[in-house]
Every structure is written in structure tokens, then in C-alpha cells.
Amino acid sequence: MRTLCSLLLLPLAIAAPQLIIDTDLGAFVDDVGAICSANALQDLGEAEIIAIVHDTGFIKGVGGISALIDYYGHTTVPLGAYKGLFGRAPTHGNFTQDTFLSDLIDQFRPRISNTTQVPTALEVYRRALAQSPDGAVRIASIGMTTNLRDLLMSEPDEHSPLYGKELVA
């Protein structure tokens, strides 16, 4: 009986996985679904969002992220943004990163509206990983791999003495 009780309580003793979301929010709504699902999982205690980063240079991307997490009341989640040239223009051919972001930002008036208000995605990544126990973090990459590339190629900094590949490992 004691073993059965221990097995039943085992799921309660396991900490919810820590989650970093790396998204190209803007062109398609798959990212909205992923961010909202993660927030709902956090509300249920099934995950802990420790950071969300935007992975294109489009200035409004992080504003859309802020609108979504603010809606859920998770205003302390650190946000970061890729600040390079890739994806900076709102349109490329028939593709637009501003399918709904301007409307989302205008409608919900988030606390953060653009990339000038947040640190780089690399800084947010390195800080979040350095502050987390080994093996506790899961990364959900939805879109471009600009930030992951920068993270893996990063050098030691004030957050960690480890190189990017070591920090991820």
C-alpha cells in the first residue's frame, strides 16, 4: 500500500518543465496558438514559462508577444528580441509579418510594443538558461532559428562562464 501511495504522489513531486518559447510571431497564427497554449499550461501548473523571444528583426513582433502574455497576466516573463537585419522589413514579396500584429497591439495596448523596449534574445536566453537547473529547460522553437544560432555560437558573458553549446547542453 505504501508503494501505491508513493506512486500516486510521484507526479506531484515532479516540477513542471521550464519553457523558453522562440517564435516568429507575425505572419501566421500558429505562434498565437503555441503561446496561448503555453500560458494555459502555466496556469494549470504543467509548465513554467521562463522566457519568450522573437526571432526576426520585425520591430512589432515582441509587442504581439507582450499582448498575449499580458492577457494571461504573466507580465513577469522576460521577453527578448532578435535585433539583426533578418526579417526587419514587414513585407517580403507576398509574405507579410504584420498580418495581425498591428491590430493585436492596437487592440490590447501591451506594456511592451516593440523591440526597443527589450534586451536581445541572446541575453534573455543566456540569463534564463544560466539561472535554471541542468536538464530543466525545454525550448519550443516555432519559426526561424536566428536566436538558436546566436545562442549556440555565443561566448561566456556576465550570465554564464560557459560557451553557448555548453550552456545548452
Side-chain angles (χ1 to χ4, degrees):
M1 183 67 163
R2 184 175 186 191
T3 304
L4 178 60
C5 289
S6 297
L7 288 174
L8 291 174
L9 293 175
L10 185 61
L12 299 176
I14 299 172
Q18 294 181 338
L19 179 63
I20 297 174
I21 301 171
D22 192 327
T23 174
D24 64 347
L25 179 72
F28 306 107
V29 296
D30 59 324
D31 302 82
V32 172
I35 293 168
C36 290
S37 295
N39 277 277
L41 287 171
Q42 180 161 310
D43 286 346
L44 294 170
E46 299 292 325
E48 177 190 359
I49 304 170
I50 61 169
I52 303 178
V53 294
H54 193 261
D55 57 34
T56 75
F58 187 52
I59 194 165
K60 293 182 181 182
V62 75
I65 295 168
S66 182
L68 295 171
I69 65 169
D70 290 1
Y71 175 81
Y72 282 89
H74 300 155
T75 57
T76 60
V77 172
L79 303 180
Y82 174 77
K83 297 187 181 191
L85 295 177
F86 175 77
R88 185 169 288 173
T91 60
H92 179 73
N94 294 332
F95 175 77
T96 179
Q97 294 187 80
D98 200 13
T99 304
F100 56 85
L101 284 177
S102 290
D103 290 338
L104 186 64
I105 293 165
D106 291 345
Q107 180 70 29
F108 288 94
R109 303 275 182 215
R111 63 191 158 82
I112 295 169
S113 60
N114 65 62
T115 59
T116 65
Q117 299 170 279
V118 298
T120 65
L122 177 59
E123 181 179 341
V124 171
Y125 251 128
R126 288 190 60 87
R127 184 182 328 120
L129 289 170
Q131 293 174 349
S132 298
D134 287 349
V137 178
R138 305 297 181 262
I139 297 172
S141 178
I142 312 153
M144 307 303 148
T145 57
T146 50
N147 295 327
L148 289 171
R149 176 207 58 210
D150 291 350
L151 174 61
L152 291 171
M153 294 175 61
S154 67
E155 296 189 1
D157 61 7
E158 67 273 15
H159 304 295
S160 173
L162 301 175
Y163 286 87
K165 290 179 184 177
E166 298 167 329
L167 187 58
V168 170

